[in-house]
Amino acid sequence: MIFSAVVDHDDAGNNRPTKNIIAAAEANKISRVIETSLLGIYDEVPGKFGKWNRDFCFGGNPEGSSPVNADQLLEDSGLDYTTLRLPWLNDRPEVKYSITHRHDTYVGVSGSRQSMADVVLKIVADPTFGSRDSLGIADPLSL
């Protein structure tokens, strides 16, 4: 299993980090990949916060951005991947979150680092959890 805990923000638009992960997985016969990204790659964050997030993270439009392209590269790779769409992180000492999937409206705006780690550990313990999916993770009460 490969876990990449960075968001692919390759400014050149070449998605070198994601392409390198895919190549390394294929070369080493590793089929399971977990990659972190950020909320809003599908323009799935509603309301005023969604607009602010879209403007701040994507210059107003996520389409064609490196994080969006990275997610598509993983989906097209044939690997058993999970994209983790992380919220704005906080340091609260709690594990409390809800999960949304690729075509769901994102629920929440922030989440604890401990909650993000909990999701990763669930995937490590059960690699079928989140398989070939994009999981949005956030505290639904953080609205």
Side-chain angles (χ1 to χ4, degrees):
M1 183 177 289
I2 295 173
F3 173 52
S4 173
V6 296
V7 177
D8 184 342
H9 284 294
D10 186 358
D11 291 335
N14 295 322
N15 292 98
R16 291 170 295 196
T18 301
K19 288 178 180 176
N20 287 339
I21 288 167
I22 291 168
E26 291 170 347
N28 291 284
K29 296 182 176 52
I30 297 170
S31 62
R32 191 67 171 98
V33 176
I34 306 165
E35 185 168 79
T36 57
S37 192
L38 63 160
L39 73 166
I41 63 174
Y42 311 121
D43 202 15
E44 77 281 17
V45 183
K48 290 181 182 179
F49 174 74
K51 180 185 180 333
W52 176 84
N53 186 76
R54 187 173 43 257
D55 291 345
F56 187 83
C57 296
F58 303 103
N61 184 6
E63 190 174 320
S65 67
S66 291
V68 171
N69 293 340
D71 181 63
Q72 189 65 52
L73 285 167
L74 284 170
E75 185 177 0
D76 294 344
S77 71
L79 295 171
D80 185 1
Y81 75 97
T82 302
T83 298
L84 301 178
R85 290 176 287 121
L86 305 183
W88 291 84
L89 300 175
N90 64 57
D91 293 321
R92 293 184 196 127
E94 63 189 9
V95 175
K96 184 172 68 171
Y97 59 88
S98 65
I99 291 180
T100 56
H101 300 273
R102 180 181 315 275
H103 301 291
D104 298 341
T105 299
Y106 201 93
V107 177
V109 299
S110 73
S112 71
R113 287 171 172 79
Q114 288 183 14
S115 293
M116 303 311 115
D118 187 73
V119 174
V120 173
L121 291 175
K122 282 184 178 183
I123 295 170
V124 170
D126 176 7
T128 64
F129 181 75
S131 175
R132 291 185 171 79
D133 199 356
S134 176
L135 305 179
I137 310 158
D139 179 351
L141 301 177
S142 66
L143 294 172

